[in-house]
PDB file of all heavy atoms in Angstrom:
ATOM      1  N   CYS A 115      94.960 105.994 106.959  1.00  0.00           N
ATOM      2  CA  CYS A 115      94.521 106.621 108.220  1.00  0.00           C
ATOM      3  C   CYS A 115      94.152 105.551 109.247  1.00  0.00           C
ATOM      4  O   CYS A 115      94.518 105.651 110.427  1.00  0.00           O
ATOM      5  CB  CYS A 115      93.340 107.551 107.986  1.00  0.00           C
ATOM      6  SG  CYS A 115      93.775 109.062 107.112  1.00  0.00           S
ATOM      7  N   TYR A 116      93.439 104.515 108.800  1.00  0.00           N
ATOM      8  CA  TYR A 116      93.085 103.450 109.737  1.00  0.00           C
ATOM      9  C   TYR A 116      94.331 102.703 110.211  1.00  0.00           C
ATOM     10  O   TYR A 116      94.435 102.327 111.381  1.00  0.00           O
ATOM     11  CB  TYR A 116      92.063 102.470 109.149  1.00  0.00           C
ATOM     12  CG  TYR A 116      91.635 101.500 110.215  1.00  0.00           C
ATOM     13  CD1 TYR A 116      90.783 101.902 111.231  1.00  0.00           C
ATOM     14  CD2 TYR A 116      92.147 100.205 110.256  1.00  0.00           C
ATOM     15  CE1 TYR A 116      90.436 101.037 112.258  1.00  0.00           C
ATOM     16  CE2 TYR A 116      91.804  99.338 111.279  1.00  0.00           C
ATOM     17  CZ  TYR A 116      90.946  99.757 112.270  1.00  0.00           C
ATOM     18  OH  TYR A 116      90.612  98.908 113.293  1.00  0.00           O
ATOM     19  N   SER A 117      95.269 102.487 109.322  1.00  0.00           N
ATOM     20  CA  SER A 117      96.510 101.805 109.681  1.00  0.00           C
ATOM     21  C   SER A 117      97.260 102.575 110.771  1.00  0.00           C
ATOM     22  O   SER A 117      97.767 101.985 111.734  1.00  0.00           O
ATOM     23  CB  SER A 117      97.386 101.646 108.438  1.00  0.00           C
ATOM     24  OG  SER A 117      98.634 101.116 108.762  1.00  0.00           O
ATOM     25  N   ILE A 118      97.337 103.893 110.611  1.00  0.00           N
ATOM     26  CA  ILE A 118      98.001 104.727 111.618  1.00  0.00           C
ATOM     27  C   ILE A 118      97.253 104.641 112.946  1.00  0.00           C
ATOM     28  O   ILE A 118      97.861 104.471 114.008  1.00  0.00           O
ATOM     29  CB  ILE A 118      98.107 106.191 111.121  1.00  0.00           C
ATOM     30  CG1 ILE A 118      99.085 106.259 109.940  1.00  0.00           C
ATOM     31  CG2 ILE A 118      98.538 107.125 112.251  1.00  0.00           C
ATOM     32  CD1 ILE A 118      99.036 107.579 109.180  1.00  0.00           C
ATOM     33  N   PHE A 119      95.926 104.740 112.892  1.00  0.00           N
ATOM     34  CA  PHE A 119      95.118 104.609 114.110  1.00  0.00           C
ATOM     35  C   PHE A 119      95.360 103.260 114.778  1.00  0.00           C
ATOM     36  O   PHE A 119      95.514 103.173 116.002  1.00  0.00           O
ATOM     37  CB  PHE A 119      93.621 104.782 113.793  1.00  0.00           C
ATOM     38  CG  PHE A 119      92.740 104.296 114.907  1.00  0.00           C
ATOM     39  CD1 PHE A 119      92.539 105.084 116.033  1.00  0.00           C
ATOM     40  CD2 PHE A 119      92.139 103.045 114.848  1.00  0.00           C
ATOM     41  CE1 PHE A 119      91.744 104.626 117.083  1.00  0.00           C
ATOM     42  CE2 PHE A 119      91.352 102.579 115.889  1.00  0.00           C
ATOM     43  CZ  PHE A 119      91.153 103.375 117.008  1.00  0.00           C
ATOM     44  N   ASP A 120      95.391 102.199 113.975  1.00  0.00           N
ATOM     45  CA  ASP A 120      95.560 100.850 114.512  1.00  0.00           C
ATOM     46  C   ASP A 120      96.908 100.682 115.219  1.00  0.00           C
ATOM     47  O   ASP A 120      96.983 100.086 116.292  1.00  0.00           O
ATOM     48  CB  ASP A 120      95.412  99.820 113.392  1.00  0.00           C
ATOM     49  CG  ASP A 120      95.437  98.406 113.925  1.00  0.00           C
ATOM     50  OD1 ASP A 120      94.625  98.093 114.811  1.00  0.00           O
ATOM     51  OD2 ASP A 120      96.287  97.624 113.455  1.00  0.00           O
ATOM     52  N   GLU A 121      97.962 101.224 114.631  1.00  0.00           N
ATOM     53  CA  GLU A 121      99.278 101.143 115.290  1.00  0.00           C
ATOM     54  C   GLU A 121      99.282 101.944 116.592  1.00  0.00           C
ATOM     55  O   GLU A 121      99.849 101.503 117.589  1.00  0.00           O
ATOM     56  CB  GLU A 121     100.390 101.624 114.356  1.00  0.00           C
ATOM     57  CG  GLU A 121     100.677 100.683 113.209  1.00  0.00           C
ATOM     58  CD  GLU A 121     101.111  99.293 113.637  1.00  0.00           C
ATOM     59  OE1 GLU A 121     101.874  99.159 114.620  1.00  0.00           O
ATOM     60  OE2 GLU A 121     100.700  98.323 112.974  1.00  0.00           O
ATOM     61  N   TRP A 122      98.652 103.095 116.597  1.00  0.00           N
ATOM     62  CA  TRP A 122      98.537 103.888 117.829  1.00  0.00           C
ATOM     63  C   TRP A 122      97.744 103.119 118.875  1.00  0.00           C
ATOM     64  O   TRP A 122      98.126 103.046 120.039  1.00  0.00           O
ATOM     65  CB  TRP A 122      97.882 105.236 117.507  1.00  0.00           C
ATOM     66  CG  TRP A 122      97.577 106.053 118.721  1.00  0.00           C
ATOM     67  CD1 TRP A 122      98.472 106.750 119.486  1.00  0.00           C
ATOM     68  CD2 TRP A 122      96.292 106.264 119.305  1.00  0.00           C
ATOM     69  NE1 TRP A 122      97.813 107.380 120.522  1.00  0.00           N
ATOM     70  CE2 TRP A 122      96.464 107.093 120.425  1.00  0.00           C
ATOM     71  CE3 TRP A 122      95.005 105.833 118.982  1.00  0.00           C
ATOM     72  CZ2 TRP A 122      95.404 107.499 121.222  1.00  0.00           C
ATOM     73  CZ3 TRP A 122      93.956 106.241 119.770  1.00  0.00           C
ATOM     74  CH2 TRP A 122      94.165 107.056 120.882  1.00  0.00           C
ATOM     75  N   HIS A 123      96.638 102.507 118.446  1.00  0.00           N
ATOM     76  CA  HIS A 123      95.796 101.712 119.347  1.00  0.00           C
ATOM     77  C   HIS A 123      96.591 100.590 120.012  1.00  0.00           C
ATOM     78  O   HIS A 123      96.409 100.291 121.191  1.00  0.00           O
ATOM     79  CB  HIS A 123      94.596 101.157 118.549  1.00  0.00           C
ATOM     80  CG  HIS A 123      93.866 100.055 119.213  1.00  0.00           C
ATOM     81  ND1 HIS A 123      93.894  98.770 118.734  1.00  0.00           N
ATOM     82  CD2 HIS A 123      93.098 100.026 120.320  1.00  0.00           C
ATOM     83  CE1 HIS A 123      93.161  98.000 119.515  1.00  0.00           C
ATOM     84  NE2 HIS A 123      92.672  98.728 120.486  1.00  0.00           N
ATOM     85  N   GLN A 124      97.507  99.974 119.260  1.00  0.00           N
ATOM     86  CA  GLN A 124      98.295  98.858 119.806  1.00  0.00           C
ATOM     87  C   GLN A 124      99.213  99.287 120.947  1.00  0.00           C
ATOM     88  O   GLN A 124      99.593  98.457 121.766  1.00  0.00           O
ATOM     89  CB  GLN A 124      99.131  98.219 118.699  1.00  0.00           C
ATOM     90  CG  GLN A 124      98.306  97.411 117.724  1.00  0.00           C
ATOM     91  CD  GLN A 124      99.168  96.812 116.638  1.00  0.00           C
ATOM     92  OE1 GLN A 124     100.237  96.282 116.910  1.00  0.00           O
ATOM     93  NE2 GLN A 124      98.700  96.900 115.403  1.00  0.00           N
ATOM     94  N   THR A 125      99.547 100.576 121.026  1.00  0.00           N
ATOM     95  CA  THR A 125     100.424 101.037 122.105  1.00  0.00           C
ATOM     96  C   THR A 125      99.749 100.926 123.468  1.00  0.00           C
ATOM     97  O   THR A 125     100.426 100.998 124.493  1.00  0.00           O
ATOM     98  CB  THR A 125     100.891 102.500 121.882  1.00  0.00           C
ATOM     99  OG1 THR A 125      99.767 103.379 121.927  1.00  0.00           O
ATOM    100  CG2 THR A 125     101.633 102.641 120.561  1.00  0.00           C
ATOM    101  N   PHE A 126      98.438 100.728 123.499  1.00  0.00           N
ATOM    102  CA  PHE A 126      97.699 100.614 124.755  1.00  0.00           C
ATOM    103  C   PHE A 126      97.431  99.154 125.145  1.00  0.00           C
ATOM    104  O   PHE A 126      96.810  98.898 126.173  1.00  0.00           O
ATOM    105  CB  PHE A 126      96.358 101.354 124.651  1.00  0.00           C
ATOM    106  CG  PHE A 126      96.519 102.814 124.357  1.00  0.00           C
ATOM    107  CD1 PHE A 126      96.293 103.309 123.079  1.00  0.00           C
ATOM    108  CD2 PHE A 126      96.926 103.700 125.341  1.00  0.00           C
ATOM    109  CE1 PHE A 126      96.440 104.654 122.795  1.00  0.00           C
ATOM    110  CE2 PHE A 126      97.089 105.053 125.076  1.00  0.00           C
ATOM    111  CZ  PHE A 126      96.846 105.526 123.799  1.00  0.00           C
TER     112      PHE A 126
END
Side-chain angles (χ1 to χ4, degrees):
C115 289
Y116 186 74
S117 174
I118 292 167
F119 164 79
D120 186 55
E121 289 300 321
W122 173 75
H123 164 249
Q124 288 179 44
T125 64
F126 300 103

